Amino acid sequence: MTISMPPSDKSFEAASPLSPLEVTSLLERARLLQRAALEGSTPKLLRGKNLGLLCDAPPDEAQALFRSAAEELGARVAVMHPGLSLLSAPQEVQDTARMLGRLYEAVECQGLDAGLVQSIGQHAGIPVFDGAATENHPTRRLAGRLGDKTGLADNRRFVLQALLLDAVA
């Protein structure tokens, strides 16, 4: 799974595949969110939470997906240009990561080098996602397993919301 988190009972290894237990948990939570949406009662389980979106590209579908998934659950999302690269001084990356950890409950990184995302995740002290809302993230495949009660785009949003809730709530 492409997420870096501080050591805790919710800890995931960066870039490791989803375990069967993680898949089951995400799908169960995504189905609950799907059912709530069909009933017109999406819970605001992330109300009061602040999430960051670090991206190096102009607005695109993945950024919109992350924002809509988080905001639908009540979170606030700040979109930022990271100003970091693999050439950045290690201290600059560490300082930026620590600052992000003080400002946000989680951060989604899109379009950044995996090594940079991993470094941010090691020093932020919060969940740091590496492209969780992008087309090539492992959770994308899970959307098809939610059935056809809702469209694939909605299913993708429910799986992303389940991931956020698992990491932040």
Side-chain angles (χ1 to χ4, degrees), residues 4 17 21-22 26 33 42-43 57 77 106 110 116 125 128 133 142 160:
S4 296
L21 183 59
E22 290 167 332
L26 284 175
L33 292 163
T42 301
V77 179
Q110 294 182 2
L116 180 60
V128 174
L142 297 180
L160 183 56

Side-chain angles (χ1 to χ4, degrees), residues 57-124:
D60 63 12
E61 191 174 313
Q63 291 173 38
L65 173 60
F66 183 83
R67 289 187 68 182
S68 69
E71 290 171 352
E72 187 174 287
L73 292 175
R76 289 183 299 272
V77 179
V79 180
M80 305 160 265
H81 178 75
L84 297 172
S85 72
L86 287 175
L87 301 176
S88 298
Q91 190 63 46
E92 180 183 10
V93 174
Q94 291 173 16
D95 291 345
T96 300
R98 286 188 197 106
M99 179 197 62
L100 291 169
R102 287 191 294 274
L103 296 173
Y104 305 104
E105 277 79 23
V107 173
E108 159 80 328
C109 298
Q110 294 182 2
L112 304 181
D113 183 82
L116 180 60
V117 174
Q118 187 173 18
S119 183
I120 292 169
Q122 289 172 344
H123 300 285

Side-chain angles (χ1 to χ4, degrees), residues 1 3 5-6 8-12 18-30 33 45-46 49 51 73 105-106 127 129 139 142 158-169:
M1 178 179 216
I3 176 177
M5 295 179 67
S8 75
D9 59 339
K10 294 182 179 180
S11 181
F12 296 98
L18 293 168
S19 74
L21 183 59
E22 290 167 332
V23 167
T24 300
S25 175
L26 284 175
L27 285 174
E28 284 178 22
R29 193 171 288 216
L33 292 163
L45 299 171
L46 294 180
K49 302 289 185 183
L51 306 179
L73 292 175
E105 277 79 23
F129 299 96
T139 57
L142 297 180
F158 299 137
V159 171
L160 183 56
Q161 288 174 333
L163 181 67
L164 288 171
L165 288 169
D166 206 37
V168 177

